[in-house]
RNA sequence: UCCUCGGUAGCUCAGUCGGUAGAGCGGGUGACUGUUAAUCACUAGGUCGUAGGUUCGAGUCCUACCCGAGGAGCCA
């Protein structure tokens, strides 16, 4: 099988005789000619078999194929305007590798419940295939950007001994004789330890939230990248974020344009994603909500001190042509470790990045670097100080101002690809009412 | 946890006033040498989510429950 060639190389092999291996996605036959579209993961190609060219036996095999049968096909590559993609394979031989009987997904509409039940097969479908290739590109582009910017990948634990903020949203499991352990809902605290060692680090992996959220933006298991940098203040933090997000979008436009087009994404909207991103304060966000909320009550009014809800984020982000930072939220609604604004201590030096028409894809802040203030915040939040001794240690031995952020992979993929629901931005989504397959 | 909608063939759905279960797609068989989700003909395929109730008679009406979808709350 070492001689098999990838289908995406066929346009440069016109005239050659080649062998390809893949899966039949579609079949059409008409008398003594039949067409089989084959997918190998790199691309698809139409294979054409005629009784005259292939002979009775090969032709009968080709006509007897079924959807998702795996095959090795040999033949001659030729260009033909009638073929989708302009290139096709004139079949000489067909070898069935694995049969496929009664494949459940047909080229027609299905309900999402059925498709999710068939997720292990649904990932073969063209739209899902495109979405997951975009996810791959997003992940690769993030690591490419951070590597080039001097960040060291610093992977953080999945099993953790305590909650960053309460245990109600955590998945718990027994950990031998040491009591309960929890699946990490962030790598944030650990990545701060790495930052003090390496200057710039990031973690990249799954996080878990036992929230009973049932919306198109929520998963119980999702992936996050969390960069953390020493000697970077709030303003510098936003600058890293806008450069990274712009890089990711540019890479997708460069390398996954066909997938974006297949999904029907408006590419001109993505072309506009260039730094700098607009910055508005929480106070200005409240003004926008007050002035532009529709009369139908779909966007509830907000008073100062309340966090923005999903409808507010969409309302605000829709008014900008690229992602927008909303900064300086009331400290009371944000995490305990966020640095207060020295000019206005009731707000935190934090920002959420809202993508147009979608909502939050990034949350970040400058962190408290003073031990006394951090200890005070831990106590104010009613958290167990003993459990945070190691975290306080980071402020006892050469503390420096530092900042970081977390970017949600599935939400970013959803926004870039224009998909309707996060379940399509990950291969096997984990949701409130679904853990199979 | 709450609100809304739904569950009938493998899939997507229709089913009128309560009176013998329907279509399209998919599957099977056959025809056709350029199809693009091909087309045409024929054909197989049903415990109407579950359990009760009303009725001479329930896919249809009532009650409870189960399951699915969308949204809200929640969500550094």
């Amino acid at each position: 099988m070492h001689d098999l060639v990838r289908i995406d190389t066929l346009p440069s092999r016109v005239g050659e005789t080649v062998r390809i291996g893949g899966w039949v996605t579609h079949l059409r036959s008409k008398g003594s000619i039949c067409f089989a579209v084959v997918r190998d993961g790199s691309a698809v190609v139409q294979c054409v078999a005629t009784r005259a060219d292939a002979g009775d036996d090969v032709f009968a095999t080709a006509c007897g194929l079924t959807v998702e049968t795996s095959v090795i096909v040999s033949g001659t590559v030729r260009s033909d305007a009638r073929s989708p993609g302009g290139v096709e394979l004139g079949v000489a031989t067909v070898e069935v590798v694995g049969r496929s009987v009664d494949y459940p997904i047909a080229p027609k509409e299905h309900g999402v419940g059925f498709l999710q039940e068939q997720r292990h097969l649904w990932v073969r479908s063209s739209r899902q295939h495109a979405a997951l290739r975009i996810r791959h590109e997003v992940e690769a582009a993030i690591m490419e950007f951070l590597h080039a910017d001097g960040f060291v990948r610093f992977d953080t634990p999945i099993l953790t001994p305590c909650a960053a903020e309460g245990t109600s949203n955590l998945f718990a499991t027994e950990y031998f004789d040491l009591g309960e352990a929890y699946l990490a809902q962030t790598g944030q605290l650990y990545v701060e330890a790495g930052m003090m060692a390496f200057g710039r680090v990031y973690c990249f992996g799954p996080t878990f939230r036992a929230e009973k959220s049932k919306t198109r933006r929520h998963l119980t298991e999702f992936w996050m990248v969390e960069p953390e940098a020493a000697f970077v203040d709030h303003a510098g933090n936003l600058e890293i974020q806008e450069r990274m997000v712009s890089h990711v979008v540019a890479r997708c436009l460069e390398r996954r344009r066909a997938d974006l087009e297949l999904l029907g994404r408006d590419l001109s909207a993505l072309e506009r994603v260039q730094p700098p991103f607009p910055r508005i304060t929480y106070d200005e966000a409240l003004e926008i909500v007050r002035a532009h909320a529709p009369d139908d009550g779909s966007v509830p009014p907000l008073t100062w001190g309340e966090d923005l809800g999903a409808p507010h984020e969409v309302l605000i982000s829709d008014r900008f042509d690229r992602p927008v930072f909303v900064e300086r939220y009331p400290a009371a609604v944000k995490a305990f470790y966020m640095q207060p604004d020295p000019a206005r201590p009731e707000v935190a030096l934090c920002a959420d990045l809202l993508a147009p028409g979608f909502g939050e894809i990034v949350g970040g802040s400058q962190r408290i670097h003073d031990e006394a203030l951090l200890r005070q915040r831990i106590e104010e939040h009613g958290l167990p100080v003993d459990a945070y001794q190691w975290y306080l240690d980071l402020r006892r031995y050469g503390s420096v101002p530092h900042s970081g952020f977390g970017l949600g992979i599935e939400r970013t993929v959803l926004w870039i690809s224009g998909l309707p629901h996060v379940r399509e931005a990950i291969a096997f989504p984990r949701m409130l009412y679904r853990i199979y397959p």
Side-chain angles (χ1 to χ4, degrees):
Chain A
M1 284 177 269
H2 62 282
D3 60 333
L4 298 182
V5 303
R6 286 164 36 115
I7 290 172
D8 64 356
T9 68
L10 295 186
S12 64
R13 295 177 185 272
V14 171
E16 291 180 37
T17 297
V18 301
R19 296 204 326 145
I20 61 170
W23 294 262
V24 175
T25 68
H26 207 88
L27 287 153
R28 296 179 286 271
S29 74
K30 184 181 169 83
S32 295
I33 183 168
C34 88
F35 305 88
V37 179
V38 174
R39 172 195 78 246
D40 75 348
S42 71
V44 297
V45 67
Q46 173 172 282
C47 301
V48 185
T50 62
R51 193 186 296 278
D53 293 342
D56 286 350
D57 288 352
V58 170
F59 184 75
T61 302
C63 288
L65 293 172
T66 56
V67 170
E68 290 301 325
T69 293
S70 50
V71 289
I72 291 177
V73 181
S74 70
T76 305
V77 183
R78 61 192 182 218
S79 64
D80 190 316
R82 293 169 296 186
S83 178
V87 170
E88 65 183 20
L89 193 64
V91 173
T93 68
V94 179
E95 176 189 341
V96 171
V97 179
R99 289 257 164 231
S100 169
V101 179
D102 295 333
Y103 187 70
I105 299 178
K108 56 162 293 189
E109 76 262 35
H110 291 288
V112 286
F114 172 79
L115 288 169
Q116 287 186 92
E117 203 73 20
Q118 310 292 332
R119 185 59 173 168
H120 52 298
L121 303 176
W122 191 22
V123 293
R124 304 183 187 194
S125 300
S126 58
R127 286 178 61 87
Q128 300 308 306
H129 207 258
L132 293 174
R133 289 189 75 108
I134 291 168
R135 178 193 174 99
H136 163 73
E137 201 65 51
V138 166
E139 293 185 329
I142 286 168
M143 288 188 279
E144 179 182 62
F145 173 88
L146 291 171
H147 180 75
D149 228 43
F151 283 79
V152 172
R153 178 154 168 168
F154 186 82
D155 291 318
T156 53
I158 302 298
L159 287 167
T160 59
C162 76
E165 24 219 274
T167 58
S168 61
N169 291 334
L170 294 175
F171 290 104
T173 183
E174 268 189 40
Y175 197 80
F176 304 111
D177 296 332
L178 299 179
E180 293 221 293
Y182 304 93
L183 298 183
Q185 57 178 353
T186 172
Q188 148 87 56
L189 273 50
Y190 293 99
V191 95
E192 286 186 60
M195 171 274 303
M196 295 287 190
F198 295 92
R200 295 185 157 209
V201 298
Y202 70 100
C203 63
F204 197 138
T207 54
F208 307 87
R209 307 225 177 148
E211 293 158 5
K212 300 210 166 177
S213 299
K214 185 170 158 49
T215 81
R216 66 189 199 92
R217 302 178 312 281
H218 284 87
L219 297 167
T220 57
E221 176 182 315
F222 65 97
W223 286 60
M224 201 156 53
V225 59
E226 295 178 274
E228 193 76 26
F231 300 106
V232 168
D233 62 9
H234 173 62
N237 194 28
L238 302 194
E239 188 256 347
I240 294 170
Q241 291 173 45
E242 66 191 358
R243 282 195 297 117
M244 186 174 99
V245 169
S246 299
H247 175 83
V248 168
V249 170
R251 270 286 178 273
C252 289
L253 283 169
E254 178 188 333
R255 296 181 184 166
R256 298 264 60 92
R257 183 170 287 265
D259 290 323
L260 291 167
E261 284 171 348
L262 186 148
L263 294 172
R265 185 66 164 101
D266 172 12
L267 299 185
S268 65
L270 293 177
E271 308 273 9
R272 286 194 296 269
V273 180
Q274 304 280 345
F277 296 166
R279 288 147 169 80
I280 64 171
T281 63
Y282 170 84
D283 295 26
E284 289 166 335
L286 288 196
E287 266 309 298
I288 291 175
V289 171
R290 196 192 55 73
H292 298 286
D295 295 333
D296 60 8
S298 60
V299 181
L302 277 180
T303 55
W304 200 95
E306 290 180 294
D307 205 353
L308 304 182
H312 310 112
E313 290 184 354
V314 172
L315 175 77
I316 292 161
S317 60
D318 256 343
R319 303 186 60 76
F320 295 88
D321 71 344
R322 65 194 73 194
V324 55
F325 289 111
V326 178
E327 55 178 346
R328 293 179 162 83
Y329 283 71
V333 300
K334 288 296 182 180
F336 71 90
Y337 49 70
M338 291 186 177
Q339 178 75 25
D341 185 345
R344 209 183 149 197
E346 71 273 21
V347 302
L349 290 177
C350 67
D352 285 352
L353 183 62
L354 310 184
F358 179 75
E360 179 183 355
I361 58 172
V362 181
S365 74
Q366 186 170 332
R367 321 302 193 189
I368 293 173
H369 59 277
D370 179 75
E371 183 194 351
L373 178 57
L374 184 59
R375 177 186 297 274
Q376 178 193 326
R377 283 296 160 85
I378 290 170
E379 287 168 351
E380 285 171 2
H381 277 75
L383 298 169
V385 177
D386 283 353
Y388 289 92
Q389 285 305 327
W390 72 266
Y391 188 60
L392 286 162
D393 261 0
L394 304 177
R395 277 74 180 169
R396 294 184 186 117
Y397 304 106
S399 186
V400 296
H402 62 284
S403 300
F405 60 94
L407 175 142
I409 300 299
E410 290 77 15
R411 289 186 174 184
T412 301
V413 171
L414 202 62
W415 162 58
I416 290 177
S417 61
L419 288 166
H421 196 296
V422 271
R423 66 174 155 243
E424 299 184 30
I426 186 169
F428 293 97
R430 293 292 170 251
M431 296 182 295
L432 182 55
Y433 294 119
R434 183 171 293 281
I435 197 168
Y436 177 91

